[in-house]
Amino acid sequence: MKRCLLMLLCCLPAAAQQRRSSFEDMARETQALQRDDATNPAMLWVQEGEALWSGAAGAAGFSCASCHSAAETSMPGVAARYPAWDDARGAPIDLAGRIAQCRAERQGAPPLDRESPGLLALSAYVGLQSRGLPIAPPDDPRLAPAVAEGAALYAERRGQLDLSCAQCHDDNAGRRLGSSTIPQAHPTGYPLYRLEWQGLGSLQRRLRGCMTGVRAEPFRYGAPEYIAIEAFLMRRAAGMAMETPAVRP
Amino acid sequence: MARVLINIPREIHAGETITIRTLIQHGMESGYRPGADGNVVPRDILRRFTARFDDEPVFAAEFSPAIAANPFLSFTMVVAASGTLTLRWEGDNGFDQTETRRIAVA
Amino acid sequence: MNTPRRLLLLAAPTLLLPPATARASPEAMAAALREFTGGAAVTPGRVAMDISPLVENGNTVPLSVIVDSPMSEADHVSAIAIFNERNPQPHVITAHYSPRSGQALLATHIRLATSQRLLAVAALSDGTFWSDSAQVIVTLAACLEG
C-alpha cells in the first residue's frame, strides 16, 4: 500500500496537467446556474450562513463575527486549507467539524449536526470566501497518515459491486456511465447544490451516495474515514480553484 | 421565514425596463413523490407569486408542482419613478411571505 | 476483470424505477390548453421558448419565454402559460402581464419527469393566442441515490 501511495505521488505531476473540475463536463445550462449568483440556489444557504455568522448564539453570547470579524476579511483561503490538524483532539478535522466544534465549545450553542441546514449554511458561507482561490492543503506532517489512509480507502474495493473509488474516478474518468461523464472526483465546490438532491449537501453526503451506489455500507457522518478521504482528495486537487458553492447535476 | 434572494439592477434610469430575478428557499414537494415509508409525501408547494410596484400589479404567476424546488423567477417591469417593489409568495399550508424593496431611479 | 461492465451495474437503479408515473398526456395537455384559451385557435409564432433540447437532470431545468409584443395599452401580452405532455400534471406555470411589465418575458426553473414536448402559449390583449413548442430529451443519471 505504501508503494501504491508512493507511485501515486510520483504520478501526480503528470496527472496534474490533465486535472479538470466536473464543472467542465456539465451542460451549459447547469454551468450557467453556478456562474450567476442570482440563479444559483446555493446562494440561499449562503445568505443563511451570513446571518448565522453575525448572529449571537449560545451561552457566551458570541457570534462568529465576535472573534473572527467580517468573514470577507478573515475567511478567504480558509476552506481551501481543510482538513487541518486539530490540536485539541490530536486528529484531523474538516471545515464543517471545525465550525461545529467552535459553535459548541466556544459559543456554547446547541450543537450543529452533520448535514443540518445551519452547518451547511455556515460551511457554504465560509467556503464562498475562498471561491476562486487555489486548494492549498497545509504542509503539516501530522496530516500525512490521514492522507495515506485516504489514499488507501480510495483504492480499496468495496461493496457488492466490489469497486474502488479509483476504478471509476481514475481508471475510467472522462468515459460515460449511462448519460453522465465520470468525473475525476475533485472536491472543489463543497458544500454544493446538487440538482439530484434539490438542495445543498456536503462532500460526506456525496461520498455516502457513492458507497451506497456500489452497494457498500457507508461510514457514519463525521467518521474519520471521510476526513481521511477528504484529506487525500484535497491533496490530489491541490492548486485547483475552489468553486464553493458549486452546482452539479 | 423562507430565505429569499432578490436581484435588482444597481443603477436604474426613469422609464427604463428592468429585470428582477428572485429565488426563494422552498422544497416544492410535488405530491407525487413516495417518501421513505413508501407513502406519497403530501403536496406542499408555492401556488402564487405577485409583484406590485407602488400597489400597481406588474407581474404575477401561478405555479404547478412542475416548478423546481427553490423557485426561481425572472420578469421585467417599467420603472417610471422611484417607488416600492412588493413581492409576495403564497402557497400550501398557509405559506405567505412578503418582501419589499425600495427602487430608486438615478 | 471487466471494469466497464461492472460500472454499468451502477446504472442498474435506473432500470428498477417504476414505470413512468406520468399522468399527463397529449389529451390532458390539450384539455389544459383549452381551459387557458377558452377553445380559441392557437397560432404558432410570436413566442420564442428557450430550453435545452438535452437535459441532464429533470429536477431543475432552466426555461425562458419571450413574446414579440410592443407591450402598449392597445397591444400587449396578458398571459403566458407553459404546458407539458408527460409530467404528472399538464400545467407548469401561468404568468400574467400588463403594459407595466415592459416586456413579455418569463424565466424560471421547471421539472421534467421524462423526455417530452413542451408548449408555451401567449394570450394577447386582442384575444388572439400564439405559441411555440419544444421537444426535450431528459437523460437519466447513472448514479441515483436512495
Side-chain angles (χ1 to χ4, degrees), chain B residues 39-85:
Chain B
N39 294 321
V40 169
V41 182
R43 193 188 83 179
D44 182 8
I45 65 167
L46 297 181
R47 297 289 294 163
R48 191 171 165 75
F49 170 83
T50 44
R52 305 173 79 85
F53 190 66
D54 283 347
D55 283 334
E56 196 184 336
V58 289
F59 177 86
E62 283 113 39
F63 299 165
S64 280
I67 294 301
N70 305 307
F72 169 80
L73 264 183
S74 174
F75 60 93
T76 60
M77 63 175 200
V78 180
V79 183
S82 300
T84 302
L85 177 68

mmCIF file of all heavy atoms in Angstrom, chain B residues 39-85:
data_model
loop_
_atom_site.group_PDB
_atom_site.id
_atom_site.type_symbol
_atom_site.label_atom_id
_atom_site.label_comp_id
_atom_site.label_asym_id
_atom_site.label_seq_id
_atom_site.Cartn_x
_atom_site.Cartn_y
_atom_site.Cartn_z
ATOM 1 N N ASN B 39 -45.138 5.728 1.340
ATOM 2 C CA ASN B 39 -46.355 6.513 1.099
ATOM 3 C C ASN B 39 -46.012 7.820 0.389
ATOM 4 O O ASN B 39 -44.916 8.362 0.555
ATOM 5 C CB ASN B 39 -47.049 6.835 2.430
ATOM 6 C CG ASN B 39 -47.568 5.572 3.095
ATOM 7 O OD1 ASN B 39 -48.073 4.672 2.427
ATOM 8 N ND2 ASN B 39 -47.392 5.501 4.408
ATOM 9 N N VAL B 40 -46.980 8.308 -0.380
ATOM 10 C CA VAL B 40 -46.758 9.553 -1.105
ATOM 11 C C VAL B 40 -46.656 10.720 -0.119
ATOM 12 O O VAL B 40 -47.468 10.842 0.801
ATOM 13 C CB VAL B 40 -47.902 9.791 -2.111
ATOM 14 C CG1 VAL B 40 -47.831 11.206 -2.684
ATOM 15 C CG2 VAL B 40 -47.837 8.763 -3.233
ATOM 16 N N VAL B 41 -45.634 11.538 -0.279
ATOM 17 C CA VAL B 41 -45.459 12.719 0.576
ATOM 18 C C VAL B 41 -46.493 13.761 0.138
ATOM 19 O O VAL B 41 -46.592 14.064 -1.059
ATOM 20 C CB VAL B 41 -44.035 13.294 0.428
ATOM 21 C CG1 VAL B 41 -43.837 14.492 1.338
ATOM 22 C CG2 VAL B 41 -42.994 12.213 0.718
ATOM 23 N N PRO B 42 -47.287 14.287 1.088
ATOM 24 C CA PRO B 42 -48.339 15.240 0.694
ATOM 25 C C PRO B 42 -47.778 16.475 0.006
ATOM 26 O O PRO B 42 -46.668 16.912 0.309
ATOM 27 C CB PRO B 42 -48.990 15.636 2.027
ATOM 28 C CG PRO B 42 -48.528 14.649 3.027
ATOM 29 C CD PRO B 42 -47.236 14.061 2.527
ATOM 30 N N ARG B 43 -48.559 17.012 -0.907
ATOM 31 C CA ARG B 43 -48.112 18.180 -1.654
ATOM 32 C C ARG B 43 -47.892 19.379 -0.734
ATOM 33 O O ARG B 43 -48.690 19.633 0.171
ATOM 34 C CB ARG B 43 -49.161 18.546 -2.720
ATOM 35 C CG ARG B 43 -48.627 19.546 -3.735
ATOM 36 C CD ARG B 43 -49.705 20.045 -4.652
ATOM 37 N NE ARG B 43 -50.432 21.134 -4.005
ATOM 38 C CZ ARG B 43 -51.448 21.791 -4.584
ATOM 39 N NH1 ARG B 43 -51.859 21.429 -5.776
ATOM 40 N NH2 ARG B 43 -52.048 22.760 -3.934
ATOM 41 N N ASP B 44 -46.811 20.097 -0.960
ATOM 42 C CA ASP B 44 -46.539 21.330 -0.233
ATOM 43 C C ASP B 44 -45.766 22.246 -1.188
ATOM 44 O O ASP B 44 -44.546 22.199 -1.251
ATOM 45 C CB ASP B 44 -45.726 21.045 1.032
ATOM 46 C CG ASP B 44 -45.473 22.310 1.848
ATOM 47 O OD1 ASP B 44 -46.047 23.372 1.506
ATOM 48 O OD2 ASP B 44 -44.699 22.250 2.820
ATOM 49 N N ILE B 45 -46.496 23.055 -1.939
ATOM 50 C CA ILE B 45 -45.844 23.894 -2.951
ATOM 51 C C ILE B 45 -46.256 25.360 -2.788
ATOM 52 O O ILE B 45 -47.233 25.680 -2.117
ATOM 53 C CB ILE B 45 -46.186 23.449 -4.396
ATOM 54 C CG1 ILE B 45 -47.684 23.633 -4.693
ATOM 55 C CG2 ILE B 45 -45.743 22.014 -4.651
ATOM 56 C CD1 ILE B 45 -48.033 23.515 -6.180
ATOM 57 N N LEU B 46 -45.468 26.228 -3.418
ATOM 58 C CA LEU B 46 -45.894 27.614 -3.573
ATOM 59 C C LEU B 46 -46.891 27.632 -4.731
ATOM 60 O O LEU B 46 -46.694 26.939 -5.730
ATOM 61 C CB LEU B 46 -44.691 28.512 -3.879
ATOM 62 C CG LEU B 46 -43.619 28.577 -2.784
ATOM 63 C CD1 LEU B 46 -42.504 29.528 -3.203
ATOM 64 C CD2 LEU B 46 -44.226 29.018 -1.464
ATOM 65 N N ARG B 47 -47.949 28.398 -4.587
ATOM 66 C CA ARG B 47 -49.008 28.407 -5.593
ATOM 67 C C ARG B 47 -49.021 29.688 -6.420
ATOM 68 O O ARG B 47 -49.426 29.687 -7.568
ATOM 69 C CB ARG B 47 -50.384 28.250 -4.914
ATOM 70 C CG ARG B 47 -50.588 26.946 -4.195
ATOM 71 C CD ARG B 47 -50.726 25.790 -5.160
ATOM 72 N NE ARG B 47 -51.938 25.876 -5.966
ATOM 73 C CZ ARG B 47 -52.148 25.192 -7.085
ATOM 74 N NH1 ARG B 47 -51.206 24.389 -7.528
ATOM 75 N NH2 ARG B 47 -53.260 25.318 -7.754
ATOM 76 N N ARG B 48 -48.649 30.782 -5.766
ATOM 77 C CA ARG B 48 -48.840 32.062 -6.440
ATOM 78 C C ARG B 48 -47.756 33.057 -6.057
ATOM 79 O O ARG B 48 -47.324 33.108 -4.904
ATOM 80 C CB ARG B 48 -50.220 32.621 -6.061
ATOM 81 C CG ARG B 48 -50.638 33.808 -6.901
ATOM 82 C CD ARG B 48 -52.079 34.204 -6.648
ATOM 83 N NE ARG B 48 -52.309 35.541 -7.209
ATOM 84 C CZ ARG B 48 -52.433 35.808 -8.501
ATOM 85 N NH1 ARG B 48 -52.382 34.827 -9.385
ATOM 86 N NH2 ARG B 48 -52.627 37.049 -8.928
ATOM 87 N N PHE B 49 -47.335 33.824 -7.061
ATOM 88 C CA PHE B 49 -46.351 34.875 -6.854
ATOM 89 C C PHE B 49 -46.927 36.160 -7.437
ATOM 90 O O PHE B 49 -47.494 36.149 -8.533
ATOM 91 C CB PHE B 49 -45.048 34.516 -7.577
ATOM 92 C CG PHE B 49 -44.047 35.645 -7.622
ATOM 93 C CD1 PHE B 49 -43.209 35.886 -6.549
ATOM 94 C CD2 PHE B 49 -43.944 36.463 -8.736
ATOM 95 C CE1 PHE B 49 -42.278 36.922 -6.588
ATOM 96 C CE2 PHE B 49 -43.022 37.498 -8.780
ATOM 97 C CZ PHE B 49 -42.194 37.727 -7.699
ATOM 98 N N THR B 50 -46.822 37.256 -6.689
ATOM 99 C CA THR B 50 -47.287 38.537 -7.241
ATOM 100 C C THR B 50 -46.220 39.605 -7.000
ATOM 101 O O THR B 50 -45.577 39.637 -5.959
ATOM 102 C CB THR B 50 -48.603 39.008 -6.589
ATOM 103 O OG1 THR B 50 -48.516 38.827 -5.173
ATOM 104 C CG2 THR B 50 -49.788 38.224 -7.108
ATOM 105 N N ALA B 51 -46.064 40.452 -7.998
ATOM 106 C CA ALA B 51 -45.146 41.592 -7.900
ATOM 107 C C ALA B 51 -45.939 42.860 -8.150
ATOM 108 O O ALA B 51 -46.646 42.980 -9.157
ATOM 109 C CB ALA B 51 -44.027 41.458 -8.934
ATOM 110 N N ARG B 52 -45.847 43.793 -7.206
ATOM 111 C CA ARG B 52 -46.532 45.080 -7.348
ATOM 112 C C ARG B 52 -45.507 46.187 -7.168
ATOM 113 O O ARG B 52 -44.575 46.045 -6.378
ATOM 114 C CB ARG B 52 -47.644 45.219 -6.295
ATOM 115 C CG ARG B 52 -48.649 44.083 -6.313
ATOM 116 C CD ARG B 52 -49.611 44.189 -5.129
ATOM 117 N NE ARG B 52 -50.648 45.180 -5.354
ATOM 118 C CZ ARG B 52 -51.785 44.921 -6.011
ATOM 119 N NH1 ARG B 52 -52.033 43.713 -6.469
ATOM 120 N NH2 ARG B 52 -52.672 45.869 -6.196
ATOM 121 N N PHE B 53 -45.703 47.243 -7.950
ATOM 122 C CA PHE B 53 -44.835 48.408 -7.788
ATOM 123 C C PHE B 53 -45.722 49.568 -7.378
ATOM 124 O O PHE B 53 -46.603 49.986 -8.129
ATOM 125 C CB PHE B 53 -44.089 48.705 -9.093
ATOM 126 C CG PHE B 53 -43.006 49.727 -8.924
ATOM 127 C CD1 PHE B 53 -41.882 49.446 -8.149
ATOM 128 C CD2 PHE B 53 -43.092 50.971 -9.515
ATOM 129 C CE1 PHE B 53 -40.879 50.380 -7.977
ATOM 130 C CE2 PHE B 53 -42.089 51.921 -9.347
ATOM 131 C CZ PHE B 53 -40.977 51.624 -8.583
ATOM 132 N N ASP B 54 -45.525 50.067 -6.146
ATOM 133 C CA ASP B 54 -46.422 51.080 -5.576
ATOM 134 C C ASP B 54 -47.882 50.660 -5.740
ATOM 135 O O ASP B 54 -48.733 51.435 -6.204
ATOM 136 C CB ASP B 54 -46.175 52.445 -6.230
ATOM 137 C CG ASP B 54 -44.909 53.092 -5.683
ATOM 138 O OD1 ASP B 54 -44.388 52.623 -4.655
ATOM 139 O OD2 ASP B 54 -44.446 54.078 -6.276
ATOM 140 N N ASP B 55 -48.150 49.405 -5.397
ATOM 141 C CA ASP B 55 -49.504 48.838 -5.381
ATOM 142 C C ASP B 55 -50.110 48.602 -6.758
ATOM 143 O O ASP B 55 -51.251 48.189 -6.870
ATOM 144 C CB ASP B 55 -50.456 49.687 -4.527
ATOM 145 C CG ASP B 55 -50.227 49.428 -3.044
ATOM 146 O OD1 ASP B 55 -49.760 48.319 -2.714
ATOM 147 O OD2 ASP B 55 -50.489 50.340 -2.234
ATOM 148 N N GLU B 56 -49.342 48.841 -7.791
ATOM 149 C CA GLU B 56 -49.849 48.524 -9.122
ATOM 150 C C GLU B 56 -49.261 47.188 -9.572
ATOM 151 O O GLU B 56 -48.043 46.997 -9.500
ATOM 152 C CB GLU B 56 -49.439 49.620 -10.102
ATOM 153 C CG GLU B 56 -50.232 49.582 -11.393
ATOM 154 C CD GLU B 56 -49.738 50.635 -12.386
ATOM 155 O OE1 GLU B 56 -49.146 51.637 -11.948
ATOM 156 O OE2 GLU B 56 -49.940 50.419 -13.579
ATOM 157 N N PRO B 57 -50.109 46.216 -9.983
ATOM 158 C CA PRO B 57 -49.558 44.922 -10.368
ATOM 159 C C PRO B 57 -48.672 45.029 -11.604
ATOM 160 O O PRO B 57 -49.053 45.678 -12.588
ATOM 161 C CB PRO B 57 -50.792 44.057 -10.651
ATOM 162 C CG PRO B 57 -51.942 44.992 -10.753
ATOM 163 C CD PRO B 57 -51.571 46.277 -10.101
ATOM 164 N N VAL B 58 -47.479 44.438 -11.536
ATOM 165 C CA VAL B 58 -46.592 44.431 -12.707
ATOM 166 C C VAL B 58 -46.391 43.023 -13.253
ATOM 167 O O VAL B 58 -46.092 42.833 -14.421
ATOM 168 C CB VAL B 58 -45.225 45.071 -12.417
ATOM 169 C CG1 VAL B 58 -45.347 46.569 -12.261
ATOM 170 C CG2 VAL B 58 -44.561 44.461 -11.205
ATOM 171 N N PHE B 59 -46.555 42.026 -12.388
ATOM 172 C CA PHE B 59 -46.325 40.650 -12.817
ATOM 173 C C PHE B 59 -46.950 39.722 -11.778
ATOM 174 O O PHE B 59 -46.966 40.032 -10.586
ATOM 175 C CB PHE B 59 -44.816 40.377 -12.920
ATOM 176 C CG PHE B 59 -44.455 38.953 -13.288
ATOM 177 C CD1 PHE B 59 -44.399 38.556 -14.615
ATOM 178 C CD2 PHE B 59 -44.179 38.015 -12.291
ATOM 179 C CE1 PHE B 59 -44.063 37.245 -14.955
ATOM 180 C CE2 PHE B 59 -43.838 36.705 -12.632
ATOM 181 C CZ PHE B 59 -43.789 36.324 -13.960
ATOM 182 N N ALA B 60 -47.480 38.582 -12.237
ATOM 183 C CA ALA B 60 -47.983 37.562 -11.310
ATOM 184 C C ALA B 60 -47.808 36.208 -11.971
ATOM 185 O O ALA B 60 -47.693 36.112 -13.197
ATOM 186 C CB ALA B 60 -49.452 37.818 -10.982
ATOM 187 N N ALA B 61 -47.769 35.153 -11.157
ATOM 188 C CA ALA B 61 -47.641 33.813 -11.729
ATOM 189 C C ALA B 61 -48.291 32.781 -10.833
ATOM 190 O O ALA B 61 -48.302 32.932 -9.601
ATOM 191 C CB ALA B 61 -46.163 33.464 -11.931
ATOM 192 N N GLU B 62 -48.889 31.759 -11.476
ATOM 193 C CA GLU B 62 -49.418 30.613 -10.727
ATOM 194 C C GLU B 62 -48.557 29.393 -11.023
ATOM 195 O O GLU B 62 -48.279 29.087 -12.179
ATOM 196 C CB GLU B 62 -50.861 30.325 -11.144
ATOM 197 C CG GLU B 62 -51.882 31.285 -10.564
ATOM 198 C CD GLU B 62 -52.524 32.144 -11.652
ATOM 199 O OE1 GLU B 62 -52.780 31.593 -12.742
ATOM 200 O OE2 GLU B 62 -52.736 33.342 -11.414
ATOM 201 N N PHE B 63 -48.139 28.723 -9.944
ATOM 202 C CA PHE B 63 -47.237 27.568 -10.070
ATOM 203 C C PHE B 63 -47.999 26.254 -9.964
ATOM 204 O O PHE B 63 -48.893 26.114 -9.128
ATOM 205 C CB PHE B 63 -46.208 27.554 -8.923
ATOM 206 C CG PHE B 63 -45.289 28.739 -8.851
ATOM 207 C CD1 PHE B 63 -44.546 28.969 -7.692
ATOM 208 C CD2 PHE B 63 -45.129 29.604 -9.914
ATOM 209 C CE1 PHE B 63 -43.674 30.043 -7.589
ATOM 210 C CE2 PHE B 63 -44.261 30.685 -9.830
ATOM 211 C CZ PHE B 63 -43.532 30.905 -8.663
ATOM 212 N N SER B 64 -47.588 25.281 -10.755
ATOM 213 C CA SER B 64 -47.982 23.886 -10.541
ATOM 214 C C SER B 64 -46.789 23.154 -9.925
ATOM 215 O O SER B 64 -45.701 23.729 -9.820
ATOM 216 C CB SER B 64 -48.390 23.245 -11.876
ATOM 217 O OG SER B 64 -49.711 23.626 -12.201
ATOM 218 N N PRO B 65 -46.974 21.891 -9.528
ATOM 219 C CA PRO B 65 -45.840 21.183 -8.905
ATOM 220 C C PRO B 65 -44.619 21.042 -9.818
ATOM 221 O O PRO B 65 -43.548 20.669 -9.353
ATOM 222 C CB PRO B 65 -46.421 19.799 -8.579
ATOM 223 C CG PRO B 65 -47.887 20.031 -8.448
ATOM 224 C CD PRO B 65 -48.218 21.104 -9.455
ATOM 225 N N ALA B 66 -44.764 21.354 -11.105
ATOM 226 C CA ALA B 66 -43.643 21.224 -12.035
ATOM 227 C C ALA B 66 -42.655 22.376 -11.936
ATOM 228 O O ALA B 66 -41.699 22.437 -12.711
ATOM 229 C CB ALA B 66 -44.146 21.107 -13.468
ATOM 230 N N ILE B 67 -42.851 23.305 -11.007
ATOM 231 C CA ILE B 67 -41.836 24.335 -10.763
ATOM 232 C C ILE B 67 -40.792 23.743 -9.811
ATOM 233 O O ILE B 67 -41.133 23.131 -8.802
ATOM 234 C CB ILE B 67 -42.480 25.620 -10.189
ATOM 235 C CG1 ILE B 67 -43.400 26.256 -11.229
ATOM 236 C CG2 ILE B 67 -41.412 26.606 -9.733
ATOM 237 C CD1 ILE B 67 -42.710 26.654 -12.542
ATOM 238 N N ALA B 68 -39.520 23.903 -10.169
ATOM 239 C CA ALA B 68 -38.424 23.264 -9.434
ATOM 240 C C ALA B 68 -38.344 23.758 -7.996
ATOM 241 O O ALA B 68 -38.780 24.875 -7.685
ATOM 242 C CB ALA B 68 -37.105 23.524 -10.154
ATOM 243 N N ALA B 69 -37.766 22.940 -7.127
ATOM 244 C CA ALA B 69 -37.503 23.325 -5.743
ATOM 245 C C ALA B 69 -36.700 24.624 -5.726
ATOM 246 O O ALA B 69 -35.926 24.898 -6.638
ATOM 247 C CB ALA B 69 -36.721 22.227 -5.029
ATOM 248 N N ASN B 70 -36.885 25.412 -4.662
ATOM 249 C CA ASN B 70 -36.231 26.712 -4.528
ATOM 250 C C ASN B 70 -36.526 27.572 -5.753
ATOM 251 O O ASN B 70 -35.618 27.942 -6.511
ATOM 252 C CB ASN B 70 -34.726 26.531 -4.306
ATOM 253 C CG ASN B 70 -34.447 25.643 -3.120
ATOM 254 O OD1 ASN B 70 -34.950 25.885 -2.025
ATOM 255 N ND2 ASN B 70 -33.703 24.564 -3.328
ATOM 256 N N PRO B 71 -37.810 27.885 -5.948
ATOM 257 C CA PRO B 71 -38.275 28.506 -7.195
ATOM 258 C C PRO B 71 -37.518 29.771 -7.595
ATOM 259 O O PRO B 71 -37.277 30.657 -6.777
ATOM 260 C CB PRO B 71 -39.737 28.829 -6.890
ATOM 261 C CG PRO B 71 -40.153 27.799 -5.919
ATOM 262 C CD PRO B 71 -38.936 27.588 -5.046
ATOM 263 N N PHE B 72 -37.160 29.793 -8.871
ATOM 264 C CA PHE B 72 -36.510 30.942 -9.495
ATOM 265 C C PHE B 72 -37.501 31.587 -10.448
ATOM 266 O O PHE B 72 -38.212 30.902 -11.181
ATOM 267 C CB PHE B 72 -35.273 30.471 -10.267
ATOM 268 C CG PHE B 72 -34.681 31.535 -11.167
ATOM 269 C CD1 PHE B 72 -33.870 32.524 -10.648
ATOM 270 C CD2 PHE B 72 -34.958 31.547 -12.527
ATOM 271 C CE1 PHE B 72 -33.323 33.512 -11.470
ATOM 272 C CE2 PHE B 72 -34.420 32.527 -13.355
ATOM 273 C CZ PHE B 72 -33.607 33.510 -12.824
ATOM 274 N N LEU B 73 -37.566 32.895 -10.416
ATOM 275 C CA LEU B 73 -38.414 33.631 -11.357
ATOM 276 C C LEU B 73 -37.674 34.867 -11.812
ATOM 277 O O LEU B 73 -36.999 35.531 -11.018
ATOM 278 C CB LEU B 73 -39.716 34.087 -10.683
ATOM 279 C CG LEU B 73 -40.971 33.244 -10.842
ATOM 280 C CD1 LEU B 73 -42.119 33.957 -10.136
ATOM 281 C CD2 LEU B 73 -41.322 32.967 -12.291
ATOM 282 N N SER B 74 -37.816 35.162 -13.086
ATOM 283 C CA SER B 74 -37.275 36.396 -13.618
ATOM 284 C C SER B 74 -38.361 37.061 -14.446
ATOM 285 O O SER B 74 -39.054 36.395 -15.221
ATOM 286 C CB SER B 74 -36.047 36.086 -14.476
ATOM 287 O OG SER B 74 -35.604 37.249 -15.108
ATOM 288 N N PHE B 75 -38.534 38.372 -14.258
ATOM 289 C CA PHE B 75 -39.536 39.117 -15.017
ATOM 290 C C PHE B 75 -39.050 40.556 -15.165
ATOM 291 O O PHE B 75 -38.065 40.950 -14.540
ATOM 292 C CB PHE B 75 -40.897 39.075 -14.299
ATOM 293 C CG PHE B 75 -40.869 39.667 -12.911
ATOM 294 C CD1 PHE B 75 -41.186 41.008 -12.704
ATOM 295 C CD2 PHE B 75 -40.506 38.903 -11.821
ATOM 296 C CE1 PHE B 75 -41.145 41.567 -11.433
ATOM 297 C CE2 PHE B 75 -40.455 39.447 -10.540
ATOM 298 C CZ PHE B 75 -40.775 40.777 -10.355
ATOM 299 N N THR B 76 -39.748 41.302 -15.998
ATOM 300 C CA THR B 76 -39.335 42.689 -16.220
ATOM 301 C C THR B 76 -40.432 43.643 -15.792
ATOM 302 O O THR B 76 -41.598 43.255 -15.647
ATOM 303 C CB THR B 76 -39.019 42.944 -17.704
ATOM 304 O OG1 THR B 76 -40.193 42.668 -18.460
ATOM 305 C CG2 THR B 76 -37.894 42.059 -18.194
ATOM 306 N N MET B 77 -40.067 44.896 -15.599
ATOM 307 C CA MET B 77 -41.075 45.933 -15.333
ATOM 308 C C MET B 77 -40.523 47.299 -15.717
ATOM 309 O O MET B 77 -39.310 47.517 -15.735
ATOM 310 C CB MET B 77 -41.494 45.928 -13.863
ATOM 311 C CG MET B 77 -40.399 46.260 -12.904
ATOM 312 S SD MET B 77 -41.108 46.348 -11.245
ATOM 313 C CE MET B 77 -39.877 47.302 -10.430
ATOM 314 N N VAL B 78 -41.451 48.204 -16.019
ATOM 315 C CA VAL B 78 -41.071 49.573 -16.367
ATOM 316 C C VAL B 78 -41.031 50.388 -15.082
ATOM 317 O O VAL B 78 -41.969 50.345 -14.289
ATOM 318 C CB VAL B 78 -42.094 50.191 -17.341
ATOM 319 C CG1 VAL B 78 -41.691 51.615 -17.710
ATOM 320 C CG2 VAL B 78 -42.232 49.332 -18.591
ATOM 321 N N VAL B 79 -39.937 51.097 -14.871
ATOM 322 C CA VAL B 79 -39.833 51.953 -13.688
ATOM 323 C C VAL B 79 -39.942 53.412 -14.145
ATOM 324 O O VAL B 79 -39.005 53.962 -14.713
ATOM 325 C CB VAL B 79 -38.499 51.713 -12.955
ATOM 326 C CG1 VAL B 79 -38.428 52.562 -11.693
ATOM 327 C CG2 VAL B 79 -38.342 50.249 -12.611
ATOM 328 N N ALA B 80 -41.115 54.018 -13.888
ATOM 329 C CA ALA B 80 -41.319 55.412 -14.297
ATOM 330 C C ALA B 80 -40.655 56.360 -13.304
ATOM 331 O O ALA B 80 -40.075 57.370 -13.683
ATOM 332 C CB ALA B 80 -42.812 55.709 -14.394
ATOM 333 N N ALA B 81 -40.747 56.009 -12.018
ATOM 334 C CA ALA B 81 -40.172 56.856 -10.967
ATOM 335 C C ALA B 81 -39.835 55.961 -9.784
ATOM 336 O O ALA B 81 -40.196 54.790 -9.763
ATOM 337 C CB ALA B 81 -41.176 57.932 -10.551
ATOM 338 N N SER B 82 -39.140 56.511 -8.809
ATOM 339 C CA SER B 82 -38.794 55.733 -7.619
ATOM 340 C C SER B 82 -40.049 55.226 -6.930
ATOM 341 O O SER B 82 -41.104 55.866 -6.988
ATOM 342 C CB SER B 82 -37.999 56.600 -6.638
ATOM 343 O OG SER B 82 -36.817 57.045 -7.255
ATOM 344 N N GLY B 83 -39.951 54.096 -6.282
ATOM 345 C CA GLY B 83 -41.113 53.529 -5.608
ATOM 346 C C GLY B 83 -40.741 52.274 -4.849
ATOM 347 O O GLY B 83 -39.560 51.966 -4.666
ATOM 348 N N THR B 84 -41.771 51.552 -4.414
ATOM 349 C CA THR B 84 -41.544 50.348 -3.620
ATOM 350 C C THR B 84 -42.032 49.117 -4.374
ATOM 351 O O THR B 84 -43.179 49.072 -4.827
ATOM 352 C CB THR B 84 -42.278 50.442 -2.265
ATOM 353 O OG1 THR B 84 -41.802 51.600 -1.580
ATOM 354 C CG2 THR B 84 -42.025 49.217 -1.417
ATOM 355 N N LEU B 85 -41.148 48.151 -4.476
ATOM 356 C CA LEU B 85 -41.488 46.873 -5.102
ATOM 357 C C LEU B 85 -41.918 45.909 -3.999
ATOM 358 O O LEU B 85 -41.203 45.726 -3.011
ATOM 359 C CB LEU B 85 -40.276 46.325 -5.844
ATOM 360 C CG LEU B 85 -40.425 44.964 -6.511
ATOM 361 C CD1 LEU B 85 -41.398 45.032 -7.683
ATOM 362 C CD2 LEU B 85 -39.067 44.439 -6.980
#
